[in-house]
Amino acid sequence: MSTDPEIARLAACGVVPVVVIDEVEVAVPLAEALLAGGIDVIEITLRRPAAMAALEEVARRVPAILPVAGTVVTPAQAAQVRDAGARAVVSPGFSESVDAAMRATGLPWLPGVSTASDCMRAVEAGRLTCKFFPAEQSGGVPGLKALSGPFPQLRFCPTGGVSLANLGSYLALPQVACVGGSWLVPADAVTSRDWATVTRLSREARAKVAELR
Ligand code: 3PG
């Protein structure tokens, strides 16, 4: 079990919003909308050119939220996200070179796993909290139960197809630390600056987590 305080923050929150940011200006109000709904972590994915600047803005201007970099897929991105202020990093898969680069940053890293071989590599690297990705497409709750059987030392953040409707069945598993997903921040809500919707979805998700714990 990890003792990283950042991973403990993700687990305490229970839900990790996976966000795609196209315009830097939305980063701060979006983070504030999540906070207003009780979510104090944000995974900003490196899928758009604005992501790095958005991460920097959130890290600098919204100290109450834990800035996490997502979709880190190359070793070079490790130092870049650290310099932008990320306090933890998530990847969709496992790579030895990203593992080494992440080690150099000293930041906690959640590699993505969906097979037993991925899990063996994560265990060997001492990366004991992993993103289970893509969760629903990799067998969902029964898939994760079967996958995690041989790896009692691993904890998971299932992501991919997770929503308010199924997060409870994941969080009910003792090996699940938290779940991740984009449903908390719909693209159209961001485009239309509909922060009330983000706050409402966040509140609903946090209420569900509280119910289950
Ligand atoms: C991710 O990268 O974590 C996924 O794209 C999130 O999956 P979702 O959109 O199904 O929540």
Side-chain angles (χ1 to χ4, degrees), residues 19-27 30 44-45 47-54 187-188 190-191 193 195:
V19 312
V20 175
I21 295 181
D22 283 304
E23 300 159 278
V24 183
E25 313 76 72
V26 303
L30 169 54
I44 299 178
T45 58
R47 295 185 198 175
R48 298 285 196 273
M52 209 64 83
D188 55 343
V190 178
T191 309
R193 281 32 172 185
W195 305 130

Side-chain angles (χ1 to χ4, degrees), residues 107-132:
L107 294 176
W109 180 51
L110 290 79
V113 297
S114 62
T115 67
S117 298
D118 297 337
C119 291
M120 286 174 63
R121 293 159 84 196
V123 167
E124 195 179 324
R127 303 294 189 175
L128 301 184
T129 305
C130 299
K131 171 174 177 164
F132 174 51

Side-chain angles (χ1 to χ4, degrees), residues 17 20 36 42 44 63 80 97 140 150 165 186 198:
V20 175
I42 181 171
I44 299 178
Q80 289 167 6
S97 57
V198 173

Side-chain angles (χ1 to χ4, degrees), residues 27-185:
V28 167
L30 169 54
E32 285 168 348
L34 291 166
L35 278 173
I39 291 187
D40 67 350
V41 303
I42 181 171
E43 178 185 328
I44 299 178
T45 58
L46 301 194
R47 295 185 198 175
R48 298 285 196 273
M52 209 64 83
L55 188 58
E56 219 171 302
E57 279 284 286
V58 170
R60 195 161 49 87
R61 295 180 44 202
V62 195
I65 204 159
L66 184 80
V68 178
T71 321
V72 168
V73 295
T74 68
Q77 289 170 333
Q80 289 167 6
V81 297
R82 179 211 46 212
D83 294 347
R87 306 256 309 277
V89 174
V90 180
S91 294
F94 188 97
S95 124
E96 270 75 20
S97 57
V98 173
D99 176 49
M102 282 309 311
R103 217 171 283 287
T105 68
L107 294 176
W109 180 51
L110 290 79
V113 297
S114 62
T115 67
S117 298
D118 297 337
C119 291
M120 286 174 63
R121 293 159 84 196
V123 167
E124 195 179 324
R127 303 294 189 175
L128 301 184
T129 305
C130 299
K131 171 174 177 164
F132 174 51
F133 177 79
E136 282 294 291
Q137 298 83 347
S138 306
V141 168
L144 178 54
K145 271 190 186 162
L147 178 66
S148 64
F151 305 104
Q153 64 276 68
L154 290 183
R155 294 171 85 213
F156 299 90
C157 178
T159 307
V162 178
S163 67
L164 189 68
N166 62 6
L167 72 87
S169 51
Y170 283 104
L171 286 173
L173 302 182
Q175 63 272 48
V176 170
C178 53
V179 298
S182 63
W183 90 93
L184 294 154
V185 182

